Amino acid sequence: MKIDARNFKGTRDYLPNEMILRNQMIEKIRRSFEVFGFVPLETPALEYLDVLTGKYGEEGDKLIYRLNYKGGSVAGMKYDLTVPLARVMTQHNDIVLPFKRYQIQPVWRADRPQVRQGRFREFYQCDADIVGVKSVLADTEIIALIHNILSQLEIGQFLIRINHRKILSGIRESLGLKEAMEIDLCRGIDKLDKIGIDGVKEELGRLGFTDPVMDNLFQLLSLEGSHTEVFKQLKDTLTKSETGLQGIDELKNIFESLEIMNIPMEALKIDLHLARGLDYYTGTIYESSSIDLPHIGSLTGGGRYDRLIGSFGSKDLPAVGTTIGLDRIATVLTQLGKMADKNSVTQILVTIFDETMIHQSMKIASSLRKHGFKTELYYEPVKLKKQFSYADKQKIPFVIVLGPDETAKGQVTLKDLTVGKQQQLDSGTLISYLEDRLSE
RNA sequence: GGGAUAUUAGCUCAGUUGGUUAGAGUACUGGAUUGUGGUUCCAGGGGUCGAGGGUUCGAACCCCUCAUGUCCCCCCA
């Protein structure tokens, strides 16, 4: 019986042309993490279900992949990298604080996939988190890190949107709403960009929000201007909410620090609409997106979660971090047409002229490899046309031909396919010529 | 979870009111060219028309069911 070869919904194979790009991206991200002093961590794909549930909110819980294991659903696949970190922190009390870890691994969500928006069921997250620091200096560093990484990945213009849960609470308090209304409020203002003021009014109205309350709300949300102006206006409006004022102070502090760190202010925005669905955030929250390709969702997302680690039953540890959405960023690069069109990393193809020349070609290939050149040896003494055609298809820039003519002179022919010219060189000059041409 | 839409060669897609043996481009293989890629010319292989059922003398085409993909909402990376 024929088996239908297909991918599980929402999962993909990364073919070599994609992997070449992805590896380059991961390399840059890893380097940035380490430049900021983060250390690597990996955790298993599988977790006990009770470790995962109850952290993300109702929506999130539904998206956890559950496994039937020994007749019961006790295991699940990890949904993000933050909760596993919280588990690790609880189990290892001897970890030196502050603990700055990075983690690059796939996560799984039982979502409905949407390729154009870069939404998949299996995707890579690249997380960096600082555990054990209450100071918003840690939040500042995380935002600086996000800016550092997104700049390096050449995704075009992007915007990091920043908000604070305490400011959202302050808005709620100043509107005279109870704490239970906060989730509805956040959800409503989160939708403002999409369904407009009238849409949000209708929705919140249905949930029991009165017209004067909403008028106040929209006035608050329409605050515009420079960061300092927005902060000032916010402060004037939220005077009665201590929590709100605290949030404003923290954000203000962060923006001032970012300016000192030379982060361009036009890449940052105070966005009072930003709410974020995950339950565990307690302080700053931030998300970033591409300006040219806004239909692709958030490229990065994160914030402060000072009570998540304590939810495992031990003492609370403050923590703040972000995830860099590798697949989202790769989607941006693909849609910008920056996908590598290469299927090969080989720099030099050594052809085999005929059966009598196999050993000589092997020797040349070995010597090139010893010098670090990415070298392929053709495996069959077929027509040179075919061997050249292979190099062309794989976009291998250099081809070496070693036949009777070359042997007689103790030389090899090196053809540069990018310009279509060839020359005969002896083995010593061959190496130094290639070192010159292929050095990066 | 709600809605829309599609599925024909490895890939991108034509296919007339239902009518013989389902086409093109591209990719692949071979040849023109037995020491050299890209361009050109010639030839060739490659299909259960997503699956199953129904209507019909006859179905890629009409009807039903299912599967899968894609898009939008929701939510997010």
Side-chain angles (χ1 to χ4, degrees):
Chain A
M1 200 170 98
K2 201 171 133 192
I3 294 163
D4 190 7
R6 70 234 134 107
N7 284 80
F8 183 73
K9 193 185 184 76
T11 69
R12 302 161 298 156
D13 301 313
Y14 307 112
L15 293 174
N17 65 331
E18 264 174 278
M19 277 310 295
I20 289 169
L21 178 74
R22 291 174 72 87
N23 281 344
Q24 287 168 358
M25 293 169 67
I26 289 173
E27 210 30 65
K28 286 179 184 170
I29 293 169
R30 189 194 310 278
R31 199 168 303 151
S32 284
F33 285 161
E34 296 196 349
V35 160
F36 276 74
F38 288 79
V39 291
L41 173 77
E42 285 205 10
T43 65
L46 298 177
E47 294 278 357
Y48 284 109
L49 210 47
D50 57 0
V51 169
L52 299 176
T53 51
K55 317 287 189 302
Y56 306 110
E58 208 181 314
E59 294 283 325
D61 272 8
K62 274 193 266 182
L63 299 181
I64 297 170
Y65 270 107
R66 288 147 204 263
L67 267 69
N68 270 324
Y69 173 67
K70 287 188 177 171
S73 188
V74 296
M77 301 182 77
K78 68 173 170 237
Y79 175 94
D80 71 357
L81 303 179
T82 309
V83 167
L85 170 67
R87 174 183 58 69
V88 168
M89 293 313 297
T90 311
Q91 285 170 257
H92 301 273
N93 276 321
D94 56 338
I95 288 177
V96 175
L97 300 178
F99 182 53
K100 297 164 69 174
R101 83 90 176 75
Y102 74 85
Q103 190 167 351
I104 302 173
Q105 287 193 277
V107 300
W108 293 268
R109 296 184 188 177
D111 214 350
R112 182 166 299 196
Q114 261 169 260
V115 175
R116 196 176 91 96
Q117 295 177 11
R119 180 212 297 280
F120 308 97
R121 285 181 170 176
E122 177 186 71
F123 58 96
Y124 274 72
Q125 293 198 325
C126 312
D127 275 37
D129 292 77
I130 302 171
V131 179
V133 179
K134 265 209 154 96
S135 158
V136 291
L137 206 47
D139 306 58
T140 308
E141 286 250 288
I142 294 289
I143 295 167
L145 174 67
I146 294 169
H147 186 269
N148 177 301
I149 289 174
L150 291 183
S151 307
Q152 281 186 64
L153 292 174
E154 296 171 334
I155 57 166
Q157 279 195 295
F158 59 87
L159 187 67
I160 306 175
R161 302 184 325 275
I162 303 170
N163 198 3
H164 201 298
R165 275 275 156 96
K166 286 180 182 168
I167 294 180
L168 289 171
S169 293
I171 292 176
R172 193 207 79 230
E173 282 176 21
S174 74
L175 293 174
L177 299 171
K178 288 186 179 143
E179 201 175 341
M181 307 280 273
E182 194 159 317
I183 291 174
D184 288 338
L185 181 72
C186 287
R187 202 161 290 160
I189 58 188
D190 197 44
K191 279 187 194 167
L192 194 59
D193 284 338
K194 277 178 186 163
I195 59 178
I197 288 190
D198 293 337
V200 173
K201 263 188 179 170
E202 199 190 313
E203 217 160 285
L204 290 182
R206 232 182 301 133
L207 293 165
F209 286 68
T210 62
D211 281 346
V213 164
M214 285 194 284
D215 288 343
N216 276 331
L217 172 64
F218 291 127
Q219 204 186 334
L220 264 175
L221 293 182
S222 63
L223 291 182
E224 285 288 342
S226 72
H227 307 123
T228 36
E229 283 165 36
V230 173
F231 284 132
K232 207 171 153 218
Q233 294 176 63
L234 261 180
K235 228 169 177 170
D236 291 343
T237 327
L238 299 185
T239 41
K240 274 178 262 171
S241 164
E242 203 175 307
T243 321
L245 292 175
Q246 227 178 58
I248 296 168
D249 273 348
E250 287 187 14
L251 271 201
K252 215 175 138 196
N253 189 333
I254 290 170
F255 270 81
E256 283 165 8
S257 307
L258 286 168
E259 201 153 15
I260 289 167
M261 292 175 92
N262 277 327
I263 307 297
M265 287 296 125
E266 57 273 19
L268 308 174
K269 188 190 172 198
I270 306 161
D271 185 356
L272 299 174
H273 303 175
L274 178 66
R276 293 191 62 77
L278 300 184
D279 272 4
Y280 52 63
Y281 292 114
T282 55
T284 50
I285 43 183
Y286 29 80
E287 227 172 82
S288 57
S289 48
S290 156
I291 287 175
D292 300 323
L293 303 168
H295 62 270
I296 298 173
S298 29
L299 272 26
T300 74
R304 179 168 278 278
Y305 47 98
D306 284 347
R307 284 193 291 277
L308 175 63
I309 296 171
S311 74
F312 282 96
S314 61
K315 60 171 190 196
D316 268 331
L317 266 181
V320 58
T322 189
T323 178
I324 310 285
L326 183 73
D327 293 81
R328 284 284 165 84
I329 295 168
T331 303
V332 171
L333 291 176
T334 304
Q335 290 183 19
L336 287 175
K338 290 193 176 175
M339 178 63 70
D341 56 351
K342 286 177 78 174
N343 291 308
S344 170
V345 296
T346 303
Q347 299 169 310
I348 305 158
L349 176 72
V350 180
T351 60
I352 294 183
F353 189 82
D354 61 26
E355 277 176 26
T356 67
M357 300 300 295
I358 291 176
H359 288 177
Q360 276 90 325
S361 287
M362 287 170 73
K363 278 184 193 161
I364 289 285
S366 299
S367 130
L368 290 169
R369 286 170 178 161
K370 203 184 267 173
H371 284 84
F373 298 115
K374 295 169 183 164
T375 307
E376 265 187 83
L377 180 66
Y378 206 89
Y379 293 122
E380 279 165 309
V382 295
K383 280 187 265 195
L384 284 180
K385 176 187 172 69
K386 219 181 155 185
Q387 304 188 46
F388 268 84
S389 166
Y390 172 75
D392 183 54
K393 273 183 281 197
Q394 297 291 80
K395 297 196 165 61
I396 299 171
F398 289 101
V399 174
I400 283 176
V401 178
L402 184 48
D405 295 354
E406 289 83 357
T407 315
K409 291 191 238 168
Q411 292 185 320
V412 300
T413 294
L414 177 73
K415 182 161 182 175
D416 180 346
L417 294 197
T418 60
V419 295
K421 295 227 167 93
Q422 65 183 44
Q423 56 187 315
Q424 293 198 355
L425 300 166
D426 61 51
S427 52
T429 44
L430 173 71
I431 299 293
S432 55
Y433 178 80
L434 286 171
E435 268 168 355
D436 195 41
R437 291 294 310 277
L438 293 172
S439 67
E440 281 169 27

